[in-house]
Amino acid sequence: MRVTVVWTVRGAAGVLTLAGLGHTLWYGVVEPGTALAFGALIACGELARRDTGDTRDRPADRDAAEDRQPAPLGSAGALAYALLGPNAAQSTHHGVLQIVAVVVAGALAGIVPHIARGRGPAADHLARRVLTVAFAAVCFQPLYNSGRLEHGIGQGPYLVLFLLFLLGLTALCDAVLAAAPAGARTGRPYGPLLRDELRARLGIGSAICATGVVMAFGVAVAGLWALPVLCVPLLLTQLSFHRITAIRTTYRQTITSLARATEIAGCTRPGHSRRVAALSCAVGRELGLSERELTVLEYAALMHDIGQLSLVDPVRAGATAGLPAAEARRIAVLGGEVARQTGVPAEVAVVVERQADPYRDQPVAARIVRAVNAYDDLLGGTRHPGGSLAVLEQLRLGTGRDYQPEVVECLARVLARGGRDRVGQVPLG
């Protein structure tokens, strides 16, 4: 079923692409100057896309979350061509299939250098671009070419309201097409994925939609010369996003390095914090946490043992799961204080310092970290020769006070799927 969803989206985009290219090659390009200008704009947008770089430390479903719009200028140009009416007050007659062909051709021309570097966009992203643009074009072009848009709505405020409504539908279509394959690939609940995608449309997605509409209106009045001028604001916005992403990447690297201090000091086993963070994020996705909640969870999981650096006598093998409650709480409180000194968000420090509390008094993230930390501690010891099944059984026996039953069962489902995902990062904000 999961594979079917992914290949249905890709197959629909492939069929549309073949139909668009075949139709355009057979009947020729209508208004080639306009098509060339928008195709070049889309290609330039793809050339200016942000390379995702090394993604070895990020799970696949969060790669998409972080890079929803890696080529905003290309997306805005494609949307503008789909919503293009007149060109310098002269009517245009390009149809939906030519729009698909120009968008695909421009995108392919722009991604060649990225593919040569081994950093091309994901197939799902290109499929989503084709289907979203086709949706917008189908909703707009037949009405414009038949004259019903001008006679029924005119050029006044009703046209603006119609375009706003159409942009809302297009954004919803894009969010659905993004969430469906991601949910199929990862098994994460569809509702939280769709919610995260819709929230993301309020950020760079709003800028893309606004720029696309302004481009269409600008070309309608001033002609194709308006395109370079109208590209500048979105290019500046894209540059700002790049800088913010670089800052957040450095911030996460700092947290990861600090988390490794417990391993370097011999307080915890090698790789413990990363294993706990990866498995905690997988459990969090299973529970339907939002992207921001997943980021808080990841940072707290990476730093959950940082309080052990204050101990005179390190805990044997760094395993805090079997410590007396008072000792575990003291380490957690010290860890929370250290976390606050690093400047992490306050909710991260709260999760760290409350991981030793009874689970009914803990926030959800602390419940997850506590259960996953206990699992890794117990599995890494010698007390459970039965392996993960024996460890999960002990966690289930502790659900009366120490571990939330829902978290333990989610952990069991993740493990049953072989779900130790790689640690990822989704920006806070």
Side-chain angles (χ1 to χ4, degrees):
M1 179 64 181
R2 294 176 180 178
V3 176
T4 302
V5 173
V6 174
W7 283 106
T8 298
V9 173
R10 295 179 181 179
V15 169
L16 266 176
T17 298
L18 292 176
L21 293 175
H23 178 274
T24 304
L25 290 173
W26 184 263
Y27 292 101
V29 179
V30 179
E31 293 142 5
T34 303
L36 179 61
F38 278 95
L41 174 63
I42 295 168
C44 290
E46 292 294 337
L47 286 172
R49 78 163 44 243
R50 177 173 63 84
D51 283 336
T52 56
D54 188 356
T55 60
R56 288 175 296 177
D57 288 337
R58 292 185 302 175
D61 57 324
R62 298 180 77 179
D63 290 342
E66 186 177 350
D67 300 309
R68 283 189 179 90
Q69 297 294 348
L73 183 58
S75 299
L79 182 61
Y81 193 45
L83 300 179
L84 180 64
N87 178 5
Q90 300 296 318
S91 297
T92 60
H93 303 90
H94 59 278
V96 174
L97 292 179
Q98 179 172 310
I99 291 172
V100 172
V102 170
V103 169
V104 171
L108 292 178
I111 66 176
V112 168
H114 298 284
I115 294 176
R117 292 196 296 268
R119 297 178 175 180
D124 289 342
H125 176 81
L126 295 178
R128 194 172 86 236
R129 172 86 65 84
V130 171
L131 293 176
T132 301
V133 169
F135 175 82
V138 166
C139 292
F140 180 83
Q141 290 297 327
L143 292 176
Y144 170 76
N145 291 327
S146 65
R148 286 185 299 221
L149 184 64
E150 182 176 357
H151 292 113
I153 298 179
Q155 299 295 326
Y158 291 111
L159 177 60
V160 176
L161 292 176
F162 171 75
L163 289 177
L164 288 175
F165 175 71
L166 178 55
L167 289 176
L169 290 180
T170 303
L172 178 60
C173 174
D174 189 46
V176 170
L177 291 173
R185 286 194 311 270
T186 64
R188 184 180 170 189
Y190 181 76
L193 275 173
L194 180 60
R195 178 191 62 195
D196 291 339
E197 293 292 340
L198 290 173
R199 286 178 177 175
R201 299 307 177 276
L202 299 177
I204 189 66
S206 299
I208 290 172
C209 290
T211 304
V213 171
V214 171
M215 282 181 178
F217 280 138
V219 171
V221 176
L224 297 175
W225 292 106
L227 287 179
V229 177
L230 297 174
C231 289
V232 174
L234 191 57
L235 283 173
L236 294 176
T237 302
Q238 184 175 356
L239 179 61
S240 299
F241 268 79
H242 290 185
R243 291 179 176 176
I244 292 172
T245 300
I247 292 172
R248 286 169 170 166
T249 300
T250 302
Y251 179 64
R252 181 184 178 274
Q253 291 172 347
T254 301
I255 291 178
T256 303
S257 298
L258 181 61
R260 289 174 180 167
T262 57
E263 301 173 18
I264 296 172
C267 298
T268 59
R269 291 178 294 114
H272 171 71
S273 62
R274 288 177 59 80
R275 289 193 300 272
V276 172
L279 196 49
S280 293
C281 288
V283 173
R285 287 190 290 274
E286 186 75 16
L287 286 170
L289 299 188
S290 67
E291 290 180 14
R292 180 180 176 84
E293 291 169 333
L294 284 172
T295 304
V296 170
L297 173 61
E298 180 194 349
Y299 289 173
L302 284 170
M303 303 182 70
H304 75 281
D305 272 332
I306 201 71
Q308 292 199 46
L309 293 175
S310 62
L311 299 179
V312 176
D313 297 321
V315 178
R316 182 182 178 184
T320 56
L323 290 178
E327 183 68 10
R329 187 170 293 109
R330 185 173 76 88
I331 294 174
V333 172
L334 290 172
E337 291 299 323
V338 173
R340 285 190 175 87
Q341 295 300 318
T342 66
V344 298
E347 55 264 50
V348 175
V350 169
V351 173
V352 172
E353 71 181 2
R354 296 188 62 184
Q355 61 179 308
D357 295 348
Y359 79 80
R360 293 179 179 85
D361 300 329
Q362 292 176 318
V364 173
R367 299 175 185 180
I368 296 173
V369 173
R370 179 170 186 171
V372 174
N373 174 64
Y375 172 82
D376 194 74
D377 281 347
L378 296 173
L379 189 64
T382 59
R383 69 184 72 180
H384 285 296
S388 61
L389 292 179
V391 173
L392 286 172
E393 185 60 29
Q394 177 160 340
L395 295 182
R396 289 188 176 102
L397 293 176
T399 53
R401 180 183 184 277
D402 296 328
Y403 313 114
Q404 184 181 16
E406 291 82 359
V407 171
V408 175
E409 294 310 314
C410 282
L411 174 60
R413 290 197 297 271
V414 168
L415 292 171
R417 295 197 301 263
R420 283 197 176 191
D421 293 346
R422 294 169 293 168
V423 179
Q425 185 260 339
V426 178
L428 287 169

